[in-house]
Amino acid sequence: MFGPGYELTARSSLSQPGQYACEETVNLIGPKGRVENLRVLGPLRSQTQVEVSRTEEFKLGIKAPIRPSGDLEGSPGITLEGPKGTCDIPYGVICALRHIHMSPEDALSFDLKDRDVVMVRVKGRRTLIFGDVLVRLSPDFLTSMHVDTDEANAASIITGMEGYIAGVEDRM
Amino acid sequence: MFGPGYELTARSSLSQPGQYACEETVNLIGPKGRVENLRVLGPLRSQTQVEVSRTEEFKLGIKAPIRPSGDLEGSPGITLEGPKGTCDIPYGVICALRHIHMSPEDALSFDLKDRDVVMVRVKGRRTLIFGDVLVRLSPDFLTSMHVDTDEANAASIITGMEGYIAGVEDRM
């Protein structure tokens, strides 16, 4: 998609240490339509993962399962388009399950364990309590919650807004 | 936009009695991009109102206030495009405030009044509790909740799904 021997260019750091957004973007081509300028994230992983919102699923004409990152089995494929060509992936398109990356220190203070499912309240002009929020623990994590654009928009979330863990729904 | 003397064609009834979706659609042209095939709703009203989601606002490059229907003062304008021409409206673009149309009978049984603000729980794969939900009463209303596509997607709502009023937040 970018030409032989091409190397990605890091553009800005993400909230998780070592993760970054690249200068490069790709387009998605689905049976019903296109989604343009999806940011490529690095570093490279063992398998290609494409995260779309429900809004983008309707536009593309595909149905992606709601999954945690890396859980790609049985997910649909898509055509990716770069500046130098296209690439069909046989699977890898998911709608990301909302989740909290959490440091073990914060988990201790919140009395939470890895894979707990919590509710999170976001207060603003469009107050929302998110259920089914998966907590993942790692010493590499900086505590932050990840939602997709539909979820952020439904709560009018802007970068840096704070949420409040409102209760534990399930302990796995 | 549709040519002189044109009359809209009703296509399907909406949940509110007397309201209908038309065969006709228009496109929106904003400073940053376009949104295609917006359904026209009838019957004609005294002022033109365009309801967009936050996702569409980013695409168009405009910022619309979150408002109840009909409250258009100070809202931005946009260019509308029909099959026979375009039309610039000076104001009228809003992001619809989520709300429940409610019959007076149902309001009595739920112990709610017009303009109460409630929380609504939607249970599913993406459980969500919506805060800031405005209740509007009218003998003409059939009880139903209206959310935009971002809000529906954030909760994976499908047509006909049920919500549960989880509490009254505010009485105006």
Side-chain angles (χ1 to χ4, degrees), chain A residues 55 98 127 129 131-132 153-154, chain B residues 55 98 127 129 131-132 148 153-154:
Chain A
T55 297
R98 50 193 172 227
T127 297
I129 301 176
D132 297 319
N153 290 335
Chain B
T55 296
R98 49 194 172 226
T127 298
I129 302 177
D132 297 319
D148 72 15
N153 290 336

Side-chain angles (χ1 to χ4, degrees), chain B residues 16-17 19 28 41 44 47 67-68 72 82 91 93 106 124 128 142 162 165 168 172:
Chain B
Q16 296 316 306
Q19 305 286 309
L28 302 182
L41 304 185
L44 293 177
Q47 37 180 10
R67 292 280 181 81
L72 307 181
Y91 66 94
V93 184
D106 285 342
L128 215 58
L142 203 74
E162 290 189 343
I165 294 173
V168 179
M172 292 198 229

